[in-house]
Amino acid sequence: MKTSTTRRAILAWIAAAPALAFCGRALAQAKATKAAMKYQDKPNGGNECDKCVQYVPGKSAKAPGTCKVVEGSISPKGWCMAFAPKPKS
Ligand code: SF4
């Protein structure tokens, strides 16, 4: 490969880096829909969002929070198929 071609290729990659970084962040932040994860506002047996590692609590124990993997407002007493129990301390 010629030096000028290599230099042009490197410069093209450097120019594209911000766009690639933006796409990567957008993909990393994408969350699943409630429907896709079969989310429900009630527990499934003893499993509920406030016992899940993905749950981010709201302002109080009973207030809705958010989830790291499912979009929208999440009930602490909800559940979805991505439920993953918090490790016991
Ligand atoms: S992954 Fe599912 S069960 Fe866990 S907090 Fe999110 S919505 Fe609730």
Side-chain angles (χ1 to χ4, degrees), residues 12-89:
W13 272 104
I14 291 170
L20 292 172
F22 175 79
C23 290
R25 277 197 306 274
L27 287 173
Q29 292 173 352
K31 292 184 180 181
T33 64
K34 288 180 175 177
M37 302 310 287
K38 301 193 185 316
Y39 173 82
Q40 59 188 38
D41 280 331
K42 58 186 179 186
N44 182 5
N47 297 336
E48 56 194 36
C49 293
D50 62 0
K51 295 178 183 173
C52 176
V53 294
Q54 307 293 1
Y55 185 64
V56 179
K59 290 182 179 174
S60 71
K62 291 186 177 180
T66 59
C67 173
K68 295 173 190 168
V69 296
V70 177
E71 67 184 15
S73 178
I74 300 293
S75 168
K77 299 300 175 194
W79 174 89
C80 87
M81 60 190 286
F83 176 82
K86 290 178 183 173
K88 294 182 180 172
S89 50

